[in-house]
Amino acid sequence: MKNLFKYGAAALILVSFIVGGCDKTQVVEPITPGGYGYATATFTTDFTGNDVTEGDTIKYMIKLDKALDRALTFTLKLEDGTADENDFSWQTVVISPYTKETEFDIIVVADDIPENTETAKIELGVFGTGDKNLLSPETVNPVLNLNIISVNDSRGVTVSFGWPDPNDDFDIFCEAEVGGSWALAASSADPETMPAMIWNDDPDDVYYVTVDPYSVESGDMIDYKIGIGYSDQTVEFVNGTFDYVNRDTVYPIIYFSYWGMNTYEVLKMEKNGTTLTISNYDGTLINTVTLPSPKKSQRNSVDLSQYIKKRK
């Protein structure tokens, strides 16, 4: 009986020691979010104001106040404005589990298209249903109301040709009276654009801007818009309607020698020193502008192989 009592007492002492030790064990709180324990995201940038220029980049640093055990995906959403998603470039970024920060770059695309200042309302944040519920209601997404200022190629005159129906496809060319085939844009873009078609120091010549209705499905009369961007950053537009059925009699036919094909004149540009006289295909004067004097010689010939081509 004495031995039994001795061992029983020892067992009680051991159990008491274990229980007492458990009371002092540190409790580690899991990182899993819940309730108002969700993470709060903050967004910081040195960008101020509303004006951006094509080619600019707006940088954001995104930070969480605590790490989560799940990933968060951040992206950009275009909410309103005259610009579209083609005017911006960005990469969706992820804050990985157990990390707390990342960077997000919003690039304003320099598209070489003559255009007026565009507007855009954009929002940066987490928009996936599952991911969005991981953030605290205290998270405030940045919303930017931007004025996007177009940039023309400073080397000379840029010309674009656009149309409203995506089922149609025009190509645009430039043929000089003396210099021959001078420029072309023949991709699947709308508008087609010839950046710096005439450089400020290009030879004095008569430059014909022409088109080819490569594929027309919308009808016999197609509205078009020609954009002219000058190196002094001014922009001019010429609107018209292309008569597809009667094109051989309505428009002067200009032979584009580089591809050995007939095209249809829509503009004529006569360069004389720093003076550029622009006329419609029917001879109507559109404008006479003064080109900035070139600072140095830029080119003596044109390499048309630099242009994107879909037919040759």
Side-chain angles (χ1 to χ4, degrees):
M1 284 294 292
K2 290 182 180 179
N3 289 338
L4 182 59
F5 176 79
K6 182 174 16 178
Y7 292 136
L12 288 173
I13 294 171
L14 179 60
V15 170
S16 298
F17 175 78
I18 293 174
V19 172
C22 288
D23 288 340
K24 297 180 180 180
T25 301
Q26 182 179 2
V27 178
V28 178
E29 181 182 354
I31 308 178
T32 304
Y36 284 95
Y38 286 13
T40 299
T42 56
F43 306 81
T44 56
T45 180
D46 58 3
F47 173 75
T48 58
N50 302 99
D51 293 344
V52 291
T53 300
E54 290 182 339
D56 286 352
T57 298
I58 302 173
K59 292 182 173 291
Y60 272 95
M61 173 63 72
I62 307 172
K63 292 185 178 182
L64 303 179
D65 62 343
K66 71 173 185 178
L68 302 176
D69 61 357
R70 290 168 58 183
L72 285 176
T73 301
F74 293 82
T75 190
L76 197 68
K77 181 169 67 173
L78 179 63
E79 297 184 343
D80 198 6
T82 59
D84 59 31
E85 292 187 350
N86 294 320
D87 292 296
F88 297 95
S89 176
W90 71 90
Q91 295 289 331
T92 295
V93 300
V94 175
I95 294 183
S96 301
Y98 309 107
T99 62
K100 295 173 34 175
E101 63 183 51
T102 189
E103 294 183 349
F104 194 100
D105 289 349
I106 304 171
I107 301 171
V108 185
V109 175
D111 53 17
D112 290 324
I113 300 174
E115 52 197 354
N116 289 320
T117 296
E118 295 182 295
T119 61
K121 180 180 180 180
I122 57 175
E123 180 179 358
L124 171 60
V126 174
F127 302 109
T129 302
D131 286 0
K132 185 167 58 176
N133 293 332
L134 299 176
L135 289 177
S136 163
E138 297 177 0
T139 296
V140 178
N141 290 343
V143 177
L144 300 177
N145 291 286
L146 300 176
N147 301 312
I148 305 172
I149 301 169
S150 180
V151 175
N152 301 326
D153 195 313
S154 62
R155 297 171 299 176
V157 178
T158 292
V159 177
S160 68
F161 185 92
W163 56 94
D165 196 315
N167 294 313
D168 297 334
D169 186 11
F170 283 79
D171 296 331
I172 183 173
F173 308 89
C174 179
E175 182 82 10
E177 275 189 0
V178 177
S181 294
W182 201 254
L184 65 89
S187 63
S188 298
D190 180 9
E192 292 281 14
T193 303
M194 296 185 292
M197 182 192 79
I198 302 174
W199 287 22
N200 296 339
D201 70 338
D202 279 342
D204 290 351
D205 207 332
V206 178
Y207 297 87
Y208 296 100
V209 177
T210 68
V211 298
D212 174 47
Y214 180 70
S215 175
V216 173
E217 300 181 15
S218 64
D220 297 337
M221 304 294 287
I222 303 101
D223 292 335
Y224 64 81
K225 181 178 181 179
I226 300 174
I228 308 171
Y230 302 104
S231 53
D232 64 359
Q233 303 309 307
T234 58
V235 179
E236 186 167 19
F237 300 98
V238 179
N239 295 304
T241 301
F242 188 82
D243 188 341
Y244 180 72
V245 174
N246 301 303
R247 60 191 183 279
D248 288 338
T249 56
V250 172
Y251 308 99
I253 296 176
I254 305 297
Y255 184 73
F256 187 68
S257 56
Y258 183 69
W259 275 359
M261 59 181 286
N262 287 332
T263 60
Y264 302 96
E265 177 189 335
V266 290
L267 289 182
K268 181 170 71 173
M269 297 187 175
E270 299 180 66
K271 184 178 183 296
N272 184 9
T274 59
T275 301
L276 187 69
T277 302
I278 304 170
S279 304
N280 208 346
Y281 67 89
D282 60 4
T284 303
L285 178 65
I286 295 174
N287 202 355
T288 300
V289 298
T290 300
L291 301 174
S293 299
K295 295 180 180 179
K296 60 181 180 180
S297 179
Q298 294 174 308
R299 65 177 177 183
N300 296 315
S301 62
V302 177
D303 178 14
L304 290 180
S305 64
Q306 65 180 301
Y307 294 95
I308 299 173
K309 300 181 286 291
K310 63 170 175 262
R311 295 190 290 187
K312 187 170 182 177

